[in-house]
Amino acid sequence: MGTWGTSIGSSDTHADIYGAFFELYNNGKDVSEITEILISNNEGLLESPEYGNDFWFAIAKAQWECKQLQPAIHEKVRVIVESGSDLKVWEDLDASKGDLEKRRKVLDKFLTRLQSDRPKAKRRKKRIIRQPLFAKGDCLAFRLETGNYGGAIILEAQHDTEFGSNLVGVTRINLNTLPTPEDFEKAEVLLKNFQSWRDEPAIYWKMRIRVSGLSLINIVGSLSVNKNYLVETEKYKYSWSGGDWGRLSNDVDCQLNSELAKPRTVKKLLVKTLTKGSS
């Protein structure tokens, strides 16, 4: 579930969406435009209540902090809370009675907060430029829970933001030796169909924050990435991951474990498809 507590903000989904919202906000975009971008880029995520509820909570919180809470977003959150659908998600994930009661109180308090008037809109932050952690084309290797090596490729490095963002493409590499650039060239991108994912490619933006576990990642070479992922049609196509860099293996581990009982998707996406583009 990617949740570490009962508070509204204690989930990877909330952290990702809230962080992406305010990156766009601090870059000067209007609240309504930001909301449209994030909804459009996370349609797959919104199909699952497990992740969708936290998405709407993050949007509502961010809009309220900007004093621009849209009635439709407010209503969506009200229905989620008052219908008990979020608590049902927690019940289905075997949350304890104590955590369910804490979550219920948090949800009620959050809805009450949204009904109040924030004194001042959150100010846009002055941009502090940070360099991304990795260069475009870097091939990253990391250990999987089996002891084998997995891999991810850096598809883009964004230098003109306060977060120093990289676009990461996680692969299906699963080797007992360190992978080489040649292994990355012929690798498939990981398509997730574990839990409620529907063949979603494990491609997302990561910021220069939450770097615990970074020492577990090795750069094993580099590939040429010809596609420009900073153009508008590509830049906002992928979601944000707020998880630690040291957790790059998480999607691979979950997918491989799932495939012990459930077949992988028949679809395939090759790394070279992502690197050879000309846009």
Side-chain angles (χ1 to χ4, degrees):
M1 187 175 178
T3 298
W4 58 86
T6 57
S7 70
I8 289 294
S10 296
S11 75
D12 287 341
T13 300
H14 189 285
D16 296 346
I17 299 304
Y18 184 83
F21 187 104
F22 279 106
E23 187 194 15
L24 295 170
Y25 182 72
N26 291 334
N27 285 342
K29 290 192 178 294
D30 293 332
V31 167
S32 59
E33 182 183 4
I34 296 169
T35 303
E36 290 174 5
I37 288 171
L38 293 177
I39 291 174
S40 176
N41 293 349
N42 291 278
E43 290 179 351
L45 181 147
L46 291 175
E47 292 178 2
S48 167
E50 182 179 340
Y51 304 104
N53 290 348
D54 286 331
F55 174 94
W56 294 119
F57 295 159
I59 293 291
K61 180 181 177 182
Q63 286 191 349
W64 180 82
E65 289 180 354
C66 296
K67 285 185 69 69
Q68 297 185 53
L69 178 58
Q70 297 171 339
I73 301 297
H74 189 184
E75 176 63 13
K76 188 173 288 289
V77 171
R78 186 193 66 78
V79 170
I80 291 171
V81 173
E82 294 185 352
S83 69
S85 67
D86 189 70
L87 291 177
K88 180 64 165 59
V89 170
W90 281 61
E91 287 177 355
D92 291 344
L93 292 170
D94 297 324
S96 67
K97 289 184 179 180
D99 281 346
L100 285 172
E101 180 60 21
K102 289 178 183 177
R103 182 67 171 179
R104 183 187 65 77
K105 291 179 179 178
V106 163
L107 292 172
D108 290 343
K109 185 176 180 179
F110 181 58
L111 188 57
T112 299
R113 185 183 187 190
L114 294 182
Q115 293 165 345
S116 67
D117 185 29
R118 181 180 168 94
K120 294 181 180 180
K122 191 167 185 173
R123 297 179 62 181
R124 298 182 194 267
K125 291 183 179 179
K126 183 178 180 180
R127 297 178 70 199
I128 301 172
I129 305 303
R130 293 183 175 90
Q131 297 303 311
L133 288 168
F134 299 103
K136 186 171 183 173
D138 277 351
C139 298
L140 312 181
F142 45 82
R143 288 281 191 178
L144 303 175
E145 62 181 20
T146 61
N148 280 358
Y149 288 96
I153 181 169
I154 301 299
L155 298 171
E156 193 60 81
Q158 191 172 8
H159 295 270
D160 61 345
T161 74
E162 61 182 303
F163 296 115
S165 306
N166 282 125
L167 183 62
V168 182
V170 180
T171 75
R172 286 187 60 90
I173 286 175
N174 179 17
L175 300 172
N176 58 14
T177 58
L178 274 173
T180 65
E182 290 73 24
D183 292 318
F184 281 86
E185 272 192 307
K186 62 186 180 183
E188 295 179 40
V189 177
L190 186 76
L191 298 181
K192 299 183 288 186
N193 72 345
F194 62 88
Q195 296 176 0
S196 57
W197 293 106
R198 299 185 179 182
D199 305 342
E200 186 81 13
I203 303 173
Y204 38 73
W205 290 96
K206 288 187 71 63
M207 310 173 207
R208 192 187 176 114
I209 57 174
R210 300 182 70 177
V211 295
S212 62
L214 198 61
S215 61
L216 303 176
I217 298 173
N218 299 298
I219 301 176
V220 294
S222 179
L223 296 181
S224 177
V225 179
N226 297 318
K227 190 167 185 175
N228 180 7
Y229 287 93
L230 296 179
V231 295
E232 291 289 315
T233 53
E234 295 292 339
K235 184 176 180 180
Y236 300 117
K237 183 184 293 184
Y238 302 103
S239 61
W240 291 80
S241 171
D244 293 336
W245 277 91
R247 294 178 59 195
L248 280 180
S249 62
N250 188 60
D251 278 341
V252 186
D253 289 331
C254 289
Q255 181 61 37
L256 295 181
N257 286 333
S258 172
E259 289 174 12
L260 296 175
K262 174 184 177 182
R264 59 167 289 190
T265 176
V266 297
K267 297 179 182 178
K268 290 186 178 182
L269 176 61
L270 300 178
V271 166
K272 61 184 178 182
T273 302
L274 301 176
T275 62
K276 304 300 182 184
S278 57
S279 62

